[in-house]
Amino acid sequence: MMLVPCPSCGHRNVSEFRYVGESKSRPVPDQTTPEQWRRYLYFHQNPLGWTRETWYHGSGCRRYFSLERHTGSNQVRRVGGRS
Ligand SMILES: [Zn+2]
């Protein structure tokens, strides 16, 4: 069982959450080419190690937040509030 630390609700079972994706900064719309948009939307780093991710607590407080997860061991650590 994997526990996810929600900033509002505390540690809860992962089944209450939805993985949104890797946290990355959104390109500036009027300065971005179609190719850059494609890379932002569809290409992901997916590294082995600690990654910053966005999660959604759909069965709880219904808030988005960031955490860091080790993609090899699924260890998680809290990094702050909403993303
Ligand atoms: Zn929550």
Side-chain angles (χ1 to χ4, degrees), residues 33-79:
T33 66
E35 176 58 27
Q36 290 170 318
W37 274 114
R38 275 191 291 277
R39 289 195 166 281
Y40 170 74
L41 292 172
Y42 302 114
F43 288 26
H44 307 288
Q45 300 266 330
N46 197 23
L48 176 60
W50 288 101
T51 59
R52 188 177 177 124
E53 302 173 334
T54 301
W55 286 70
Y56 174 67
H57 195 182
S59 297
C61 60
R62 297 186 178 188
R63 291 186 177 175
Y64 290 88
F65 61 95
S66 293
L67 58 75
E68 287 185 342
R69 181 176 64 91
H70 193 283
T71 54
S73 65
N74 269 340
Q75 286 180 291
V76 292
R77 57 188 182 198
R78 188 180 302 183
V79 294

Side-chain angles (χ1 to χ4, degrees), residues 1-5 11-17 19 53 55 67-70 73-77:
M1 178 173 75
M2 181 177 159
L3 294 177
V4 175
H11 286 79
R12 299 294 173 94
N13 191 310
V14 68
S15 64
E16 295 185 10
F17 297 84
Y19 170 78
E53 302 173 334
W55 286 70
L67 58 75
E68 287 185 342
R69 181 176 64 91
H70 193 283
S73 65
N74 269 340
Q75 286 180 291
V76 292
R77 57 188 182 198

Side-chain angles (χ1 to χ4, degrees), residues 8-28:
S8 302
C9 307
H11 286 79
R12 299 294 173 94
N13 191 310
V14 68
S15 64
E16 295 185 10
F17 297 84
R18 182 171 64 87
Y19 170 78
V20 177
E22 297 171 354
S23 297
K24 51 189 172 183
S25 28
R26 186 171 191 248
V28 179

